[in-house]
Amino acid sequence: VKLAAALTVVFLAARLSGGAPPVLIRNGRVIARAGARPAAEALVLAGGKIVFVGSEPEARRKFPGARLLDARGGFIYPGFADAHGHLWELGQNLETADLKGAPSARACAERMLQISRSLPATAWALGFGWDQNLWPERAFPDAATLDVAFPERPAAARRIDGHAVWANSAAMRAAGVTKATPDVAGGKIVRRPDGTPSGVFLDNAADLITAAEPAPTEADMHRRLQRAMETCASVGLTEVGDASGDTPGYDETYLPVLRRMARAGELPIRVYATVGGHDPRLDQYFRKGPVTLGRLQIRAVKLYADGALGSRGAALLEDYADDPGNRGFFVTPPAKMREIVEKCFRAGFQPWIHAIGDAANRAALDAYEAAEEMIQPKDARPRIEHAQVVTIGDRPRFAKLGVIASIQPTFATSDMGWALARLGPGRLAESYAWRSLERAGARLAGGSDFPIESHDPLRGIFAAVTREAPDGSPREGWRPVEDLSRRDAIALYTTGAAYAMFQETVRGEIATGRDADLTVLDRDLMDGPASEIPNAKVLLTIVGGDVAFLGP
Ligand SMILES: [Zn+2]
């Protein structure tokens, strides 16, 4: 509902830049950089830039023809940027009904119907997160419940654990599933007493349904990206570092759509995109060099050193504490990482290496060190994404090699329930150590890894400052020795993210001559209890002088 309202406003909002007269933002309190006290009350924007910072009377005198925009007493921050998110996946999520906690099968169908209203007739209605244990009958649902809501449109919803799909009759028809369809190895078709499929497909049998879902069309991709970016603007984000490069299908499908949208001036926020380190066309990208198309920049390469800690895929130097003999695995062998990094440095591309485990972080640092010695790039700013488990000995190497630690503050509070089991106490003390990394001289950039985590930067700032989950637990924070100051937490999403995307001279702070990217909040994040940070309201998001979001 909130999104729909936001979209309406965005469509109605006038485009403020281009040949338009300057815009005078009045009735605000300008916070020029992270940690600064509110100073000026007015800003003037023209040609996508900030051209004046000061008092309203002076602004009116200097720019008599300017159009007025009321900041409603809000605090005007430099535009917030998320250094690491996934727009494509966020767009998909926004078109998938969230069924978590739904109290009945009918309630699930209702939620799916709501979401599907904004979709074209040909699109499937999708849902995720149903759990029949929460329903009165505590039994698997039946296709008939979905058929009431979707007599024609195929509908399919995955169970909360991912191990079952619930489909309607139209989806089963599209999949060619009938009474005669045999069970699949490693899966099961749940059947009614008469042998007909009931609509629930377990494990491998679920593929019968999901394989029938049509691949997204260009229009689907365009719509999803647009929604994802507008949703980002609604939480105050003016730019996203898109980490989806190296996701199967991204380079061939979504990236070209993003490029077309950028060329047509259709991006509501800025995107700093990655290409895949294993993309067969990587050498082509390297030959052409970094690309800037309006609000889209392509000059980074994403690759994975290892997997994730929760599933014991993170590469560790020693065994998992809860799985002796297992040290996880490398997704990209270290020698291959070095080879790709060297090519990046030669071509002026910025490598982003996903590294969770201490062995993966060390291998990434080794790759950067070796490539820097060989190529001696001028200003490469290589990044490590996540930098989650880093030995104390490796911490100073970030500063020495100029490696950016691209961190996700909410990971600490999302993982705190099980990280100790995986790592044991010794390694835990070396993990999610944002403050220690900063004190060792590392430059930090803040991100969320949305949609795995919330895309709301205020949640990230809150987690960085308090090390508490959104519900405030644990009370004094999880390993509060790693708390960041409020100034440093805000810097993650402003100056830190700007530096991590080579933009620190044009973004990250408010000053004349800089890009007119602004995030207006209803409060000063330096004031009041930290528990209130996530409750701040976004009043206005401005990108390149255009209103990308206007709050209620
Ligand atoms: Zn990611």
Side-chain angles (χ1 to χ4, degrees):
V1 177
K2 199 179 163 207
L3 173 66
L7 294 182
T8 313
V9 173
V10 170
F11 287 131
L12 294 177
R15 289 177 67 83
L16 299 175
S17 69
V23 172
L24 194 167
I25 303 182
R26 55 176 294 275
N27 189 23
R29 281 165 276 185
V30 175
I31 295 179
R33 67 190 60 79
R37 302 310 301 167
E41 58 178 334
L43 286 173
V44 179
L45 317 178
K49 300 280 180 191
I50 299 166
V51 296
F52 173 87
V53 186
S55 74
E56 184 178 339
E58 196 187 347
R60 283 179 184 264
R61 206 164 50 244
K62 285 191 168 155
F63 300 90
R67 293 171 41 187
L68 297 180
L69 184 60
D70 188 350
R72 295 184 280 163
F75 293 82
I76 305 173
Y77 282 84
F80 289 168
D82 186 319
H84 181 128
H86 298 265
L87 289 170
W88 166 19
E89 288 87 342
L90 177 60
Q92 280 177 319
N93 272 22
L94 290 170
E95 296 194 345
T96 302
D98 180 2
L99 307 180
K100 292 193 281 293
S104 67
R106 262 188 57 195
C108 290
E110 192 51 46
R111 288 187 193 181
M112 290 168 71
L113 192 59
Q114 284 286 341
I115 294 259
S116 71
R117 289 208 170 100
S118 65
L119 299 179
T122 50
W124 283 35
L126 300 174
F128 175 80
W130 59 271
D131 182 357
Q132 81 283 4
N133 293 317
L134 305 175
W135 306 344
E137 70 277 16
R138 290 175 162 255
F140 274 147
D142 193 278
T145 311
L146 284 176
D147 288 346
V148 175
F150 304 102
E152 305 289 336
R153 190 197 287 272
R158 207 167 264 281
R159 194 177 182 276
I160 184 112
D161 62 1
H163 288 277
V165 163
W166 169 30
N168 71 344
S169 297
M172 290 194 279
R173 268 198 303 279
V177 171
T178 65
K179 188 175 174 178
T181 307
D183 273 316
V184 180
K188 185 181 174 188
I189 301 173
V190 179
R191 296 173 196 268
R192 304 187 185 107
D194 67 356
T196 54
S198 73
V200 172
F201 297 78
L202 304 182
D203 287 294
N204 289 350
D207 299 346
L208 293 171
I209 298 298
T210 52
E213 191 197 332
T217 62
E218 169 150 355
D220 292 332
M221 292 188 261
H222 186 286
R223 188 184 65 243
R224 288 176 187 171
L225 286 167
Q226 188 80 25
R227 280 194 177 158
M229 287 184 270
E230 281 162 359
T231 300
C232 287
S234 76
V235 295
L237 291 173
T238 56
E239 176 153 19
V240 165
D242 194 305
S244 286
D246 233 21
T247 307
Y250 177 82
D251 296 329
E252 307 86 66
T253 55
Y254 278 80
L255 194 55
V257 175
L258 204 50
R259 293 172 75 120
R260 280 194 283 278
M261 292 172 77
R263 216 177 278 123
E266 293 174 344
L267 302 187
I269 63 170
R270 299 182 201 272
V271 180
Y272 182 88
T274 51
V275 295
H278 297 91
D279 188 312
R281 287 156 305 177
L282 193 58
D283 287 331
Q284 257 165 273
Y285 281 114
F286 285 158
R287 265 197 303 279
K288 274 198 234 143
V291 172
T292 302
L293 288 167
R295 289 180 178 165
L296 173 67
Q297 235 187 323
I298 306 172
R299 70 171 293 181
V301 173
K302 172 82 184 291
L303 64 160
Y304 287 81
D306 63 349
L309 192 62
S311 48
R312 299 188 188 81
L316 298 178
L317 293 166
E318 305 287 343
D319 294 357
Y320 276 88
D322 56 0
D323 191 11
N326 182 6
R327 296 184 176 186
F329 51 82
F330 280 95
V331 171
T332 307
K336 181 74 185 168
M337 269 197 273
R338 260 201 309 280
E339 183 195 316
I340 297 172
V341 167
E342 279 171 22
K343 284 184 176 176
C344 287
F345 285 175
R346 282 210 178 87
F349 274 72
Q350 178 188 43
W352 295 19
I353 300 182
H354 160 116
I356 303 272
D358 49 10
N361 274 280
R362 181 166 296 170
L365 290 165
D366 288 348
Y368 289 150
E369 185 165 18
E372 282 182 13
E373 265 167 30
M374 174 175 287
I375 318 280
Q376 304 198 322
K378 261 213 330 274
D379 187 14
R381 303 190 194 182
R383 291 172 43 162
I384 289 184
E385 303 305 308
H386 314 309
Q388 216 162 286
V389 188
V390 179
T391 64
I392 287 170
D394 280 335
R395 282 177 190 161
R397 298 179 71 197
F398 282 79
K400 186 169 156 267
L401 301 169
V403 175
I404 294 162
S406 168
I407 62 162
Q408 292 69 38
T410 60
F411 276 18
T413 46
S414 292
D415 297 0
M416 65 189 175
W418 48 261
L420 175 64
R422 295 285 183 283
L423 297 169
R427 269 183 309 205
L428 189 69
E430 300 184 321
S431 305
Y432 309 91
W434 321 137
R435 180 143 192 251
S436 296
L437 276 171
E438 190 173 62
R439 288 172 76 165
R443 280 181 184 269
L444 305 184
S448 64
D449 209 11
F450 68 72
I452 290 176
E453 301 277 330
S454 162
H455 51 289
D456 184 349
L458 295 171
R459 294 216 181 183
I461 291 169
F462 169 75
V465 168
T466 64
R467 309 274 293 191
E468 290 172 12
D471 67 359
S473 67
R475 260 191 89 90
E476 296 303 319
W478 184 61
R479 305 191 43 245
V481 65
E482 296 293 349
D483 283 354
L484 292 185
S485 70
R486 290 196 200 193
R487 186 201 63 177
D488 291 350
I490 298 165
L492 291 177
Y493 298 89
T494 50
T495 44
Y499 182 83
M501 300 188 280
F502 294 92
Q503 296 158 355
E504 73 280 7
T505 59
V506 286
R507 288 171 220 146
E509 294 183 16
I510 294 176
T512 55
R514 289 190 172 235
D515 286 341
D517 288 17
L518 307 167
T519 301
V520 184
L521 302 179
D522 68 347
R523 66 196 71 183
D524 182 346
L525 298 177
M526 300 295 286
D527 283 344
S531 59
E532 283 299 309
I533 290 172
N535 299 330
K537 296 271 172 298
V538 177
L539 301 178
L540 189 61
T541 305
I542 292 181
V543 179
D546 294 333
V547 173
F549 172 75
L550 183 58

